[in-house]
Amino acid sequence: MKYLCYVTIAIFFLFLPNLYSQSNETKTIEVKAETDNSSKNVNFSKNPTSFQKEISLEGSKNRYLSLPDILEREAGIRIRQYGGLGSYSTLSIRGTNPNQTKVYWNGIPLNNSQGGEINLADLPFDNLEKIEIYKSSTPAGFSGSNIGGSINLVSKTGSIKPSTRITVQGGSFNTVKSTISHTNSFKDGSFYVQALGEKSDQNFSYFNNKGTLLFNTYDDSIDRRKNAQYEKSGFTGNLNYNIGKTTVSLLNDYLYRKQGLPGPGNRQTDSVERKFSKLSSAISTNTKEFLFDQLALETKLFHNRSRDDLFDPKSEFTSGIPDSRTDISQYGLQITPVLYLLKYNQILRLSLNAEQEFFNRLRKRSDHETESKDPSKRRDYQSLQIQDEFRFFQNRLFIVPQIRFDRYKDRFGKDLTSVRNQFNDPLTDQFVVNRNFTNPSLGLKWIILQNANYDFGIMGNISKEFRIPTFIELFGERGSIVGNTLLKPEMSRNSDLGFFAKSKVAKNWKWDFEIAHFQKKIYDMILFLPNSQFTLRPENVDSAIINGIETSNSITWNQGWKFNIQYTYQNAKNTSDAPALNGKYLPLRPKNQISSQITYFKDWGEIGFEYLFIGANYRDRSNEYFGYLPARQIYNCFFTYIPYRDLELEREFLLTFEIRNLTNKQVEDLVGYPLPGRSVYLTGSYRF
């Protein structure tokens, strides 16, 4: 990977001397809002009543940003990180748990059935065109139930004009990243390719209380993070080809990461290492007129495969057999016919999904030689989704009823070496678990006022959603967790209601506004309870209610100013029957969260300032004082200079300097896992 970085840097500086020999004429910058009109988004049009957001990533590539950096700015979204760049990071929407949120890549589900939640560091970012956020319910064609909403990562595809971009970035903690991408078209098609290399030591300084908070402050010190380094490389190749009225898309994304696992700050590790590789491939078709004019057809065939190697030679994380290799394979087929009955003011959508997932793990000794094999696990999933979109009053009123039937079948191979299986009753012990769900929902959208300069309306949704138990909850984990095949799925009743407005306030002003109230009542939440001195067992003993308000505002003045602010208020309470938990705040759910940015832009570049506020919260379910996390405020700033730009030829050279965490705030999301203080990054990018 380091050779890719060196080659990219060499190519970058090879072209640098030629930049100033070309014309330096510039043109007026075209003003684009942060979000595009939802009517232009194909996926958004499939579920017009849902509260959804599109984040264009074109401008973000000018800075050293990651997927968590982008998502934490959005209303209703909370990111939890176990460190700085490249660290384990999770996503939750509207106060739900990370394993209750679904993540898709071009409509392909990425959540695995072992633990349920997604590590954002293992997902693609630099090759993405945009991110779609669904807070109410996902569109037809997206499989699976999701209590906590979902996000969809949309890859870049080919363009009509050929274009090549070389980007070199670097900064604090010996961080460097380089990317090369090229897009072009040919007869009846186009393609996009990208190569990526990145590394960082992440050896930032942090406050270490040695695990003796309040009791002993004499041993406190400022230490430096170790074994948090990572290396990352990737390749993307996407192809679109038109065959008559059908567009065929081939998508392929490969990612490899090698990283240290540092452990908590008061007992850092020395040699724990992880190697992760992931290959996602898909072929999809979109036929506008299939068999007859009123029928369209979308299909998708996909395969995800990942390998996760853990090396723990000194048993710093684990005891017994320290190393492991985990392989996960996912296969799926999606068929979505759409019948346009516009004469009858409706659009009927069907979606059929069939998926399989296989989980295998090898236990290895310190020399990484195989010691034993865990029982294989398999999940089969089928679903049928029916959606009927009614349109009235010249597309001013939308009513969208929807129902989805889900069927899961889980298989767990017998582990004859397990002590647990020796004591279980063979007549009652289950190694095959079947689950069937029905998920109804109803959405409404009413555009009250609409003309060339503004839209104003109201939206609302109600739904019933489930979360199927994961493999680790159903079948356990050898030596630490006892499985429970009788677990019921977590169930949630969701609702939201709000207003939206898009307005051209004056000739040079544009304003986008949205505010919504949401509520989630979650039942049969799964909680791990002590089963013995050394093991835990999951049980359906918890419940919660989450109420909140979120609002997004974006104002653009084409004379050079952009301003946006996102605010979230949420009250997430535990409603369990357990006296020690009832009425307590759910952990890691701040009541208030604010993100804002103001930017001044001209044809020579832009200057921006960012502010992030995360309110106080607790890091444990019982709301103990030692788990209290004070509110924090983070300030960032950046400056982009464009010495050369030619809009007609689509050529550009830019430089960006940015500072994160200006005040060097020492904070952490989770106990013992500090976040970086002040850091500086520089970006150079040339497009030709």
Side-chain angles (χ1 to χ4, degrees):
M1 186 211 69
K2 64 173 66 175
Y3 298 108
L4 176 61
C5 293
Y6 296 152
V7 171
T8 306
I9 294 172
I11 295 175
F12 178 80
F13 284 105
L14 180 64
F15 282 99
L16 183 61
N18 297 324
L19 294 176
Y20 295 95
S21 63
Q22 303 182 49
S23 172
N24 198 37
E25 295 180 2
T26 59
K27 295 188 177 181
T28 304
I29 294 178
E30 179 185 357
V31 177
K32 295 183 179 180
E34 291 296 323
T35 57
D36 295 328
N37 193 307
S38 60
S39 64
K40 299 178 182 179
N41 187 302
V42 176
N43 288 330
F44 285 4
S45 64
K46 296 176 183 177
N47 196 6
T49 67
S50 174
F51 284 92
Q52 45 204 5
K53 181 76 171 291
E54 177 181 296
I55 307 174
S56 174
L57 297 178
E58 182 61 31
S60 67
K61 302 305 170 62
N62 301 338
R63 300 174 54 194
Y64 203 131
L65 297 174
S66 63
L67 197 57
D69 293 329
I70 295 295
L71 291 172
E72 72 175 349
R73 303 173 180 176
E74 298 304 315
I77 292 183
R78 179 76 174 95
I79 300 296
R80 303 164 192 169
Q81 293 182 275
Y82 285 75
L85 285 172
S87 65
Y88 192 95
S89 305
T90 62
L91 162 80
S92 65
I93 300 178
R94 289 181 169 177
T96 53
N97 292 327
N99 61 6
Q100 294 172 337
T101 300
K102 297 283 284 187
V103 179
Y104 302 89
W105 172 72
N106 299 296
I108 297 169
L110 296 179
N111 299 67
N112 67 71
S113 299
Q114 172 65 5
E117 66 185 35
I118 283 286
N119 178 9
L120 299 180
D122 292 339
L123 300 180
F125 174 70
D126 296 273
N127 58 358
L128 300 181
E129 177 184 344
K130 59 185 177 182
I131 303 171
E132 299 170 347
I133 302 174
Y134 302 93
K135 301 176 183 178
S136 302
S137 57
T138 50
F142 285 62
S143 65
S145 182
N146 49 82
I147 290 176
S150 59
I151 67 169
N152 182 38
L153 310 177
V154 181
S155 297
K156 285 186 176 181
T157 55
S159 61
I160 297 177
K161 294 183 179 181
S163 178
T164 301
R165 180 183 287 273
I166 302 174
T167 302
V168 178
Q169 299 173 296
S172 299
F173 322 123
N174 299 317
T175 302
V176 62
K177 180 169 73 172
S178 61
T179 58
I180 305 174
S181 64
H182 179 72
T183 179
N184 203 347
S185 62
F186 54 93
K187 184 180 179 181
D188 298 326
S190 60
F191 67 90
Y192 172 83
V193 293
Q194 184 199 64
L196 160 74
E198 181 180 14
K199 69 173 292 293
S200 178
D201 290 343
Q202 287 300 295
N203 54 345
F204 54 87
S205 59
Y206 70 98
F207 175 75
N208 187 358
N209 58 29
K210 303 295 194 301
T212 57
L213 181 66
L214 296 183
F215 291 109
N216 180 12
T217 60
Y218 293 102
D219 61 350
D220 295 349
S221 62
I222 301 297
D223 292 344
R224 189 164 291 276
R225 206 73 166 119
K226 62 180 182 179
N227 198 34
Q229 73 284 346
Y230 73 92
E231 295 183 2
K232 175 180 176 181
S233 59
F235 176 80
T236 298
N238 299 330
L239 174 69
N240 289 337
Y241 189 73
N242 299 315
I243 306 175
K245 297 180 180 180
T246 300
T247 300
V248 180
S249 299
L250 299 175
L251 303 171
N252 188 81
D253 182 73
Y254 174 76
L255 180 70
Y256 172 80
R257 279 164 45 84
K258 178 181 178 181
Q259 64 180 117
L261 299 179
N266 59 355
R267 50 183 180 88
Q268 299 192 79
T269 64
D270 293 316
S271 55
V272 183
E273 185 180 74
R274 175 185 183 238
K275 293 181 180 179
F276 174 82
S277 61
K278 183 177 184 298
L279 176 65
S280 298
S281 303
I283 177 172
S284 63
T285 66
N286 187 350
T287 306
K288 299 296 183 183
E289 298 176 6
F290 181 73
L291 300 180
F292 53 90
D293 294 348
Q294 288 76 31
L295 181 64
L297 180 66
E298 297 179 16
T299 67
K300 193 177 279 112
L301 181 67
F302 66 87
H303 173 222
N304 294 322
R305 183 175 182 84
S306 65
R307 169 165 289 181
D308 201 337
D309 281 291
L310 175 66
F311 299 84
D312 188 8
K314 298 180 180 179
S315 297
E316 296 174 278
F317 262 4
T318 58
S319 58
I321 304 174
D323 295 1
S324 67
R325 167 173 290 180
T326 302
D327 290 302
I328 299 177
S329 295
Q330 299 168 302
Y331 304 87
L333 172 65
Q334 302 175 358
I335 301 175
T336 307
V338 182
L339 183 60
Y340 293 89
L341 303 173
L342 301 182
K343 182 178 180 180
Y344 303 98
N345 300 314
Q346 59 183 309
I347 299 175
L348 182 63
R349 297 182 176 92
L350 300 177
S351 181
L352 297 95
N353 297 272
E355 300 172 12
Q356 281 188 337
E357 180 177 343
F358 299 87
F359 178 90
N360 294 282
R361 175 178 290 164
L362 299 177
R363 302 285 180 171
K364 295 176 174 287
R365 299 188 297 268
S366 57
D367 58 2
H368 214 59
E369 291 297 323
T370 301
E371 174 77 13
S372 63
K373 179 180 180 180
D374 284 6
S376 60
K377 303 169 188 177
R378 170 180 168 181
R379 169 166 289 174
D380 294 290
Y381 167 68
Q382 299 89 35
S383 73
L384 169 63
Q385 188 176 4
I386 304 172
Q387 181 195 87
D388 201 353
E389 177 185 327
F390 295 92
R391 299 181 175 187
F392 303 103
F393 308 117
Q394 299 179 336
N395 296 337
R396 298 278 291 274
L397 177 64
F398 298 81
I399 300 176
V400 185
Q402 179 176 272
I403 189 168
R404 185 176 59 252
F405 304 97
D406 292 336
R407 182 180 183 273
Y408 291 87
K409 186 173 185 178
D410 297 323
R411 296 177 175 89
F412 177 64
K414 289 189 177 183
D415 183 5
L416 299 179
T417 65
S418 171
V419 175
R420 177 176 67 88
N421 288 341
Q422 296 176 18
F423 288 98
N424 281 349
D425 185 350
L427 298 179
T428 60
D429 190 26
Q430 299 181 41
F431 293 91
V432 177
V433 181
N434 292 285
R435 294 283 190 271
N436 298 303
F437 311 123
T438 300
N439 304 274
S441 66
L442 177 66
L444 180 144
K445 179 179 181 180
W446 179 24
I447 303 176
I448 301 174
L449 299 172
Q450 185 179 54
N451 62 26
N453 292 324
Y454 59 82
D455 286 342
F456 173 74
I458 184 173
M459 290 193 299
N461 301 270
I462 56 174
S463 65
K464 181 181 179 182
E465 303 283 354
F466 291 89
R467 183 186 74 83
I468 184 76
T470 62
F471 285 156
I472 198 171
E473 293 166 339
L474 288 171
F475 306 121
E477 184 77 7
R478 182 187 298 180
S480 57
I481 298 175
V482 176
N484 183 358
T485 56
L486 301 179
L487 282 173
K488 295 184 290 185
E490 296 180 344
M491 190 268 285
S492 175
R493 299 186 184 276
N494 306 331
S495 63
D496 56 34
L497 180 66
F499 298 91
F500 66 90
K502 299 174 184 283
S503 175
K504 187 176 180 181
V505 181
K507 180 180 179 181
N508 299 320
W509 290 86
K510 181 179 179 180
W511 177 46
D512 287 349
F513 167 77
E514 186 176 274
I515 186 170
H517 174 270
F518 60 88
Q519 182 181 84
K520 293 180 182 289
K521 294 182 178 179
I522 308 176
Y523 306 92
D524 298 320
M525 292 177 65
I526 298 172
L527 183 65
F528 287 89
L529 301 176
N531 184 66
S532 69
Q533 184 178 357
F534 304 105
T535 61
L536 300 172
R537 178 182 171 91
E539 300 286 354
N540 295 107
V541 297
D542 230 349
S543 61
I545 182 170
I546 305 170
N547 283 287
I549 296 175
E550 61 187 24
T551 180
S552 301
N553 290 267
S554 177
I555 300 174
T556 304
W557 181 35
N558 69 0
Q559 297 301 309
W561 290 95
K562 287 190 295 186
F563 174 76
N564 67 69
I565 183 169
Q566 322 280 335
Y567 171 69
T568 305
Y569 169 83
Q570 65 180 9
N571 189 24
K573 290 290 189 71
N574 194 313
T575 57
S576 169
D577 292 334
L581 298 178
N582 187 276
K584 303 292 187 180
Y585 291 104
L586 297 181
L588 302 174
R589 273 81 162 183
K591 271 194 172 184
N592 299 281
Q593 185 169 331
I594 302 173
S595 172
S596 65
Q597 176 178 310
I598 184 169
T599 305
Y600 176 72
F601 62 93
K602 286 294 183 180
D603 55 356
W604 48 260
E606 63 179 351
I607 302 174
F609 181 81
E610 296 175 336
Y611 170 74
L612 179 65
F613 173 84
I614 298 176
N617 59 90
Y618 291 97
R619 291 175 287 195
D620 65 294
R621 307 179 75 88
S622 57
N623 296 177
E624 299 292 339
Y625 176 76
F626 295 107
Y628 177 77
L629 183 64
R632 66 175 185 251
Q633 303 179 71
I634 304 296
Y635 303 90
N636 306 322
C637 66
F638 64 92
F639 169 66
T640 298
Y641 176 56
I642 306 175
Y644 168 73
R645 171 182 281 170
D646 190 321
L647 297 179
E648 291 184 359
L649 297 177
E650 295 187 355
R651 295 183 176 182
E652 178 185 68
F653 172 64
L654 61 86
L655 294 169
T656 298
F657 175 76
E658 57 185 306
I659 305 177
R660 308 263 192 92
N661 196 352
L662 277 166
T663 58
N664 199 30
K665 192 77 172 180
Q666 300 290 315
V667 296
E668 56 184 33
D669 278 340
L670 297 105
V671 176
Y673 289 89
L675 301 180
R678 186 184 301 111
S679 54
V680 178
Y681 297 96
L682 179 66
T683 298
S685 181
Y686 179 40
R687 183 182 63 181
F688 58 96

